[in-house]
Amino acid sequence: MNTSTVLILALAGALILVALFQGDGKTVAGFKASWQAMLELTPLLLGVFIIVGFAEELLPREFIAQLLGGESGMRGILLASGLGMLTPGGPFVSYPLVATLYQAGAGIGPLVAFITAWSLGSVSRLPLEVGIVGVRLTAIRLASSLIFPPVAGLIATIIVRFVSTP
């Protein structure tokens, strides 16, 4: 078990204890809400785990390292930025994908660009955004957010080189 898992389980245990001490059926209600969340998220997580598993097997490590490795430079950062913008879904989709790419040899710079592009400019949110705030504001927001993923990837690359240098 890694540190993140231990922290999450400790937090869950603490919340159960708080609910037990508060009484008023909060523990039962909490477990019911937890069960409902699990039922809703399980199909999504199952799909993500299948995608991650097959991506690990079908995408050769050399291919990922060539496209998105630490030596891929600006080309890898720009490619990762584009892939991040095209990745649909929430963090349950993007973070396992990033972990898979990292284990397959992707560099820190491209991965930071990917995460930044996904969080700032995911095109899957555009229809909703256009419907709520309009085309003009959406276009301005999207155009301005195109700058940040490559910059974040470059900064991450510099940090990695600076930290890795003896």
Side-chain angles (χ1 to χ4, degrees), residues 137-150:
L137 182 57
T138 300
I140 292 168
R141 198 260 327 140
L142 185 60
S144 63
S145 67
L146 291 175
I147 298 165
F148 295 108

Side-chain angles (χ1 to χ4, degrees), residues 83-98:
L83 290 173
M85 290 184 74
L86 295 175
T87 301
F92 291 119
V93 174
S94 59
Y95 290 127
L97 182 56
V98 166

Side-chain angles (χ1 to χ4, degrees), residues 104-151:
I108 300 296
L111 292 178
V112 168
F114 178 98
I115 293 168
T116 305
W118 165 79
S119 63
L120 290 179
S122 177
V123 295
S124 64
R125 295 187 297 258
L126 289 180
L128 176 64
E129 186 177 356
V130 167
I132 294 173
V133 299
V135 173
R136 183 171 186 270
L137 182 57
T138 300
I140 292 168
R141 198 260 327 140
L142 185 60
S144 63
S145 67
L146 291 175
I147 298 165
F148 295 108
V151 170

